[in-house]
Amino acid sequence: MASLAHLEGGRGTEGEGGDRLVFEFLTAHGAALLFYVFAAFAIAGALTVVTMRNPVYGAAGLLVAFLAIAALFLLRHAEFLAVVQTFVYGGGIMVLFLFVIMLVNLSRLHETRMLGNYWKTALVVCLLLIGIFGFLFLQVDFGAPHPNPGNFVDVEGKALGNSEAVAWILYREYLLPFEIASVFLLVAMVGAVVLGRRV
Amino acid sequence: MEITTNHYLILSAILFAIGVAGILTRRNMITVLMSVELVLNSVNLNLIAFSYQLSDLTGQIFAVFTIAVAAGEAAVGLGILIALFRLYDDTHLDKATELHG
C-alpha cells in the first residue's frame, strides 16, 4: 500500500519507477493475465486427468481444473456459480471420487492396458475437433458485451447482486425445472443407494 | 488486451476435446467418469461466457442445472462402478462384457 501512495504522489525515484511500470501493466492487463494463468491451470489439470495411469493423480488434476474453472467464472462475473462450482465440484464430487478410488482395489492397475484399441483414431478426432472449433471461433466477432441492466433489478427497480439476481430469475421463471431437478436428485440418490447395496 | 468471448470459447473447446479424448481412449472407468465431468465443466464455461456476453442470466441458470445433473450422474456412475467392481473385481472397462452377446 505504501508504494501505491508514493505512486499517487508522483515521486519517481528509480525503484518506484519499476513499481509504476508493474502497476500500470497490472491495471491494463491484469484481467487478461489472470485469464491466461487460470486457463493454463485448467488445461494442465485436464491433461493430468487424461494422461495419468493412477486415478489418484487424475483426481488431483481434476480438482485443480475445477478450481481454475471456478476462478474463470469469477472473471466473467458469475460469482454465485463460482462458489457453487467450488462447493459442489471441489467439495462433493471430489470426495465421491476419492472415496470410490479408496473402495476399489487399484493394485492390478499396472497389469492392464491403459488405452483402448482405437486410441490413435480418437486422438486424431480430438485434434480435428480443436482445430475446427478453434478455426470457427476465430472467425466470429461477437463485439463488445452489450449491457442489459433490466436483468439485474427486482420489481421495485432495486439493483441486485449476482446471487440475488440468479435467485430472482431461478424462483420466478424457472421454478418448475428447479423442482424437477430436486426430484431428479432424489431419484439419483435412490439409484446410487440401490446400486451400491450388497446383495 | 481484452479477454473476449472467443477466448472462453476456444478454452472451452480445448477442455471439451481433452475430455472427449479421455472418454474415448482410457479404459479405466474412474478416469472415464472424471473425463465426463471435464466435458460438462467445459460446457458450463461456454454458458457463463455467453451469459456475460448477452447480459442474460439464463445461461447461469442453465449452468446451475448442468451442475445438478452432473452431481446425479457422478453418484449413479460411481454406484455402477462399485457394482461392476463387486462383479469383476476390477474397474477395467474391457472386463465388463456381460451384455456383449
Side-chain angles (χ1 to χ4, degrees), chain A residues 36 50 52 66 72 76 81 85 89 105 108 113-116 130 137 140 142 146 151 162 169 174, chain B residues 3 6-8 17 25-27 37 41 48 53 55 57-58 60-61 70 81 85-86 89 92 94:
Chain A
Y36 284 119
V50 177
M52 287 289 162
F66 284 162
L72 291 170
R76 272 311 184 227
L81 269 172
Q85 166 96 3
Y89 277 112
N105 180 15
R108 285 209 260 142
R113 285 179 310 142
M114 180 168 126
L115 301 172
I130 294 183
F137 292 155
V140 192
F142 293 102
H146 66 81
N151 261 329
N162 178 258
I169 193 167
Y174 293 94
Chain B
I3 294 300
N6 299 50
H7 287 80
Y8 272 81
T25 58
R26 296 298 302 268
R27 293 291 92 196
E37 299 296 328
N41 252 293
I48 298 294
Q53 171 78 27
S55 287
L57 284 173
T58 310
Q60 299 191 19
I61 302 291
L81 172 62
F85 180 72
R86 291 228 178 89
D89 205 27
H92 206 256
D94 290 348

Side-chain angles (χ1 to χ4, degrees), chain A residues 26-41:
Chain A
L26 282 183
T27 45
H29 304 293
L33 204 64
L34 281 176
F35 173 83
Y36 284 119
V37 167
F38 286 119
F41 268 111

Side-chain angles (χ1 to χ4, degrees), chain A residues 134-163:
Chain A
F135 178 73
L136 279 178
F137 292 155
L138 285 175
Q139 309 292 312
V140 192
D141 183 18
F142 293 102
H146 66 81
N148 189 3
N151 261 329
F152 297 92
V153 294
D154 63 6
V155 277
E156 291 160 2
K158 188 165 72 76
L160 300 173
N162 178 258
S163 306

Side-chain angles (χ1 to χ4, degrees), chain A:
Chain A
M1 285 331 271
S3 66
L4 281 185
H6 279 301
L7 282 173
E8 284 168 12
R11 274 188 291 157
T13 58
E14 272 182 44
E16 284 164 4
D19 276 359
R20 177 192 288 276
L21 277 183
V22 170
F23 183 70
E24 279 174 357
F25 178 80
L26 282 183
T27 45
H29 304 293
L33 204 64
L34 281 176
F35 173 83
Y36 284 119
V37 167
F38 286 119
F41 268 111
I43 291 174
L47 284 176
T48 310
V49 173
V50 177
T51 51
M52 287 289 162
R53 180 179 275 270
N54 191 339
V56 179
Y57 300 138
L62 194 65
L63 181 61
V64 170
F66 284 162
L67 294 179
I69 288 172
L72 291 170
F73 286 177
L74 269 185
L75 290 177
R76 272 311 184 227
H77 294 287
E79 289 89 0
F80 174 70
L81 269 172
V83 174
V84 167
Q85 166 96 3
T86 313
F87 284 179
V88 175
Y89 277 112
I93 291 181
M94 244 13 255
V95 169
L96 211 59
F97 271 110
L98 286 174
F99 259 99
V100 168
I101 289 171
M102 283 191 282
L103 277 176
V104 302
N105 180 15
L106 293 175
S107 59
R108 285 209 260 142
L109 210 57
H110 296 281
E111 302 167 16
T112 49
R113 285 179 310 142
M114 180 168 126
L115 301 172
N117 291 328
Y118 302 107
W119 68 272
K120 281 175 190 159
T121 321
L123 207 63
V124 170
V125 166
C126 292
L127 288 177
L128 272 179
L129 199 69
I130 294 183
I132 292 170
F133 273 129
F135 178 73
L136 279 178
F137 292 155
L138 285 175
Q139 309 292 312
V140 192
D141 183 18
F142 293 102
H146 66 81
N148 189 3
N151 261 329
F152 297 92
V153 294
D154 63 6
V155 277
E156 291 160 2
K158 188 165 72 76
L160 300 173
N162 178 258
S163 306
E164 266 183 306
V166 168
W168 196 254
I169 193 167
L170 181 62
Y171 290 122
R172 240 180 17 166
E173 292 178 33
Y174 293 94
L175 185 60
L176 183 64
F178 180 75
E179 300 290 345
I180 292 173
S182 70
V183 175
F184 166 78
L185 284 176
L186 177 70
V187 170
M189 189 183 77
V190 172
V193 169
V194 169
L195 281 171
R197 165 188 68 141
R198 276 182 199 284
V199 280

Side-chain angles (χ1 to χ4, degrees), chain A residues 62 65-70 73 81 85-86 89-90 93, chain B residues 12 15-16 34-48 63 66-67 70:
Chain A
L62 194 65
F66 284 162
L67 294 179
I69 288 172
F73 286 177
L81 269 172
Q85 166 96 3
T86 313
Y89 277 112
I93 291 181
Chain B
S12 160
L15 287 178
F16 186 88
M34 290 198 281
S35 303
V36 172
E37 299 296 328
L38 268 181
V39 168
L40 290 167
N41 252 293
S42 76
V43 173
N44 274 353
L45 211 54
N46 260 355
L47 289 169
I48 298 294
T66 313
I67 289 177

